[in-house]
Structure formats: C-alpha cells, structure tokens
Amino acid sequence: MSAIDQYKVFELAVRLGSITKAAEELYMTQPSASYAIRQLEEQLGVKLLVRRSKGVDVTEEGRVLHRFVEQAFGLLQAGERKIGEMKSYMSGIVRLGASDSLCKHYLLPFLESFRSGRPGIRIILSHGKSEEIMTRLAAGSIDCGMIHLPAREDSLVAARRGIQDCFVAGPAFAHLASSPVSLHELVREPFVLLSAGSRTRSFFHSYLQTHGLSLEPDIELSSVDLLVEFAVKNMGVAFVTRDFVSKELESGALLEIRAREPIPARSIGVVSAPQQSLSLAAALFVQQLSQHIGDSTEEDLSNES
C-alpha cells in the first residue's frame, strides 16, 4: 500500500472516528485498513490512534499529523478542481506578444470575441517588434505571437495572412496621387518612416535597393498611429500597410500614391511554441486565432522559409 493510501485511511479514520468506517468508505477490508495505520505508525515511530471498543481515539501526535494531512488533501482536491476548470477552459493563462499596430488592426477584434466566450482565461499581452516577439517566444516567456514573416526556423507558424503596403500622404501631396509615379521621382519627397529595426522599415529599404535607390527619412517614428497622424498633417510621404490606413483613405484624409514599380506583397503570421509545450488554454487560443487570421497551407509556409 502506498504512503498516500495510508494517509487516506488515517485521515478518514480520524474524521469518522472509526477504522471500520474508514475501510467501508474506501471499499477495503477492516484488517487492511488496520494494517495501513500500523504501517504509518511504524514509519513515523509514534502512536497515532488508540483502539476502543466503539471506535478510535486520536493521540496528541495523531491530532498534529491530522491537521497537516487534512490541509494536504484539501490542496490536492483544489488542484484537481483547478485542472478540471482548465480542461473545460474555465481558467488558464495565455501569454501573447504582438506589435501595437498588429494588435490594434488584427488582434483586438479577436481578443474581444475570445474573452467574451472564455472570460475565465487570462490573457497577458506584451508588445514589441517582430524580432523581440521571436526572442521572447524562443525564451519561453510567451506562448504565441503575431509577427511580420518570415519567422525563425525554430518556431511554428500556425497561420499566415497576406498584407499589402502602400505609399500615402496628406492632401498637400495630391499632385503625386493623380497618376502613378516612379520611385526615382518619389524618393525626392520628404518621407515619414517607422524607426530603423522594424521589419517594415527593412522591407522598405530592400524594395528600394531592388531598384537601385535609397533614402534617409525626414522623420522617424516608432508608432504606426503616430506615423499616420504625421502623414495626415502633410509632414511627408509614409510607407504603411494599407489595412492600417483604410479609414483615412476612405475619408480622404490620406491619399494613396501609386508607384510604377509594384510593391511586393508580404505576410504576417501567428507563431507559437510547439503544441506539446502549450497549456490547454494557450493551445485553444492559438487554434482559434489561426482560424481568425486564416489557416496556413503547406505551400504558403514553404514560401516563408
């Protein structure tokens, strides 16, 4: 008989005041229950119960031990209840990373829906650039993230979604929006760009280099929202994901400037730790977020490698 079984017999015998009743509760014979108590007493080297004709009395040592055993079984039961809640998604924690812009335009609608359906699951969100998110994922400090692809080889891309960048500017640059312009002409204009180190900035410079061009922006900003505000205020041409400025383009606050040299499409993706290392709540979150963003295909993922 295991130690945990011995303690079960002891705890019930004290609570019910009878070894016989404890045996009945545990569906075991009375001699087996008595043997379990004797084993426990021998291991501890003290008398725990005194047998009487109508039950048992608890010694002082037995009362002290019972307080601890009662607490231990209470914690085990609480742990089992907690696991039950996690299995039914009534509780759990999801650690998520994303940039402010990706969170605002792609994650927030999903987070609102997920929280309303699973209010017991706690979502811990940290922001950062794609490279920072990948570093946190590799370190195990987050369960999943949304980044600009490609991802590192040691991460799992659970889903991807294509995005399209564009050039935009305020009404003062309307003369550039009437017809497509060449990049050679466009780079002569003042530019408002995201700060160096962002994947959008790196992608933009690679695009220019493909056409033998480069530029230094007049204004560098770390926030997409602030970049959009500067562009609306006619501070320069901005390079931004079209989804991020759809409202401004629709209202006329910003105008799209079409370049003669097509801007290649790129992708954002949901990246996660391996399935076996995710909690139940995190695995559910990644699955539903992937469906929201758009399921990956094998061909799509090979294009990101």
Side-chain angles (χ1 to χ4, degrees):
M1 183 178 292
S2 67
I4 190 71
D5 290 329
Q6 293 171 6
Y7 280 112
K8 284 181 179 179
V9 175
F10 169 70
E11 194 281 325
L12 271 173
V14 173
R15 180 151 51 89
L16 299 176
S18 168
I19 294 177
T20 300
K21 290 180 180 179
E24 292 173 352
E25 187 80 12
L26 294 170
Y27 300 99
M28 62 192 304
T29 64
Q30 193 276 339
S32 296
S34 295
Y35 180 67
I37 297 296
R38 286 198 302 273
Q39 279 188 310
L40 188 58
E41 289 176 330
E42 290 174 3
Q43 291 167 12
L44 298 176
V46 295
K47 195 72 174 174
L48 299 173
L49 301 176
V50 178
R51 281 75 171 172
R52 303 296 185 192
S53 59
K54 294 185 178 181
V56 294
D57 289 338
V58 187
T59 66
E60 180 60 25
E61 291 77 11
R63 278 190 288 272
V64 170
L65 179 63
H66 184 260
R67 287 199 297 270
F68 287 97
V69 172
E70 196 173 35
Q71 292 175 21
F73 280 124
L75 287 173
L76 287 173
Q77 290 170 358
E80 290 176 349
R81 287 194 300 270
K82 194 67 176 178
I83 293 299
E85 291 177 0
M86 294 174 74
K87 287 173 65 177
S88 59
Y89 304 111
M90 294 173 61
S91 68
I93 295 176
V94 178
R95 302 166 302 165
L96 169 67
S99 68
D100 292 344
S101 55
L102 292 181
C103 182
K104 175 181 177 180
H105 294 279
Y106 299 115
L107 272 177
L108 191 55
F110 169 76
L111 291 176
E112 182 180 15
S113 173
F114 186 86
R115 282 294 297 273
S116 66
R118 306 288 183 182
I121 295 179
R122 182 184 176 197
I123 299 174
I124 301 175
L125 174 62
S126 60
H127 72 92
K129 297 177 181 177
S130 293
E131 292 300 332
E132 295 169 340
I133 299 303
M134 293 300 299
T135 298
R136 292 176 203 164
L137 187 64
S141 59
I142 59 174
D143 301 306
C144 59
M146 181 172 284
I147 65 165
H148 286 94
L149 295 173
R152 295 179 182 175
E153 293 182 356
D154 57 354
S155 62
L156 173 66
V157 180
R160 69 186 295 275
R161 174 176 180 160
I163 59 173
Q164 182 61 55
D165 298 295
C166 63
F167 294 105
V168 296
F173 294 83
H175 61 285
L176 296 173
S178 57
S179 60
V181 297
S182 69
L183 278 179
H184 288 76
E185 180 182 353
L186 191 56
V187 295
R188 300 193 190 108
E189 302 293 334
F191 263 80
V192 182
L193 295 178
L194 288 176
S195 57
S198 68
R199 288 203 170 180
T200 296
R201 177 74 173 270
S202 298
F203 175 80
F204 173 67
H205 279 301
S206 295
Y207 166 58
L208 291 185
Q209 288 172 359
T210 300
H211 299 283
L213 298 170
S214 65
L215 70 80
E216 289 298 325
D218 296 73
I219 299 172
E220 291 183 280
L221 300 166
S222 59
S223 163
V224 171
D225 286 346
L226 196 56
L227 179 142
V228 172
E229 288 298 318
F230 269 63
V232 168
K233 299 297 183 182
N234 297 305
M235 300 301 295
V237 177
F239 182 80
V240 65
T241 300
R242 186 178 285 123
D243 286 347
F244 298 169
V245 290
S246 57
K247 291 182 180 178
E248 288 80 5
L249 290 172
E250 185 177 348
S251 68
L254 287 176
L255 305 173
E256 182 171 355
I257 301 170
R258 292 168 293 163
R260 289 175 186 163
E261 297 82 356
I263 301 173
R266 55 184 179 139
S267 299
I268 58 173
V270 177
V271 291
S272 73
Q275 183 76 15
Q276 60 268 25
S277 65
L278 293 175
S279 68
L280 293 172
L284 176 70
F285 183 89
V286 170
Q287 177 190 22
Q288 294 192 0
L289 177 59
S290 297
Q291 292 172 351
H292 172 76
I293 294 301
D295 293 331
S296 302
T297 65
E298 195 172 307
E299 180 181 357
D300 289 336
L301 296 184
S302 66
N303 290 338
E304 298 300 338
S305 60

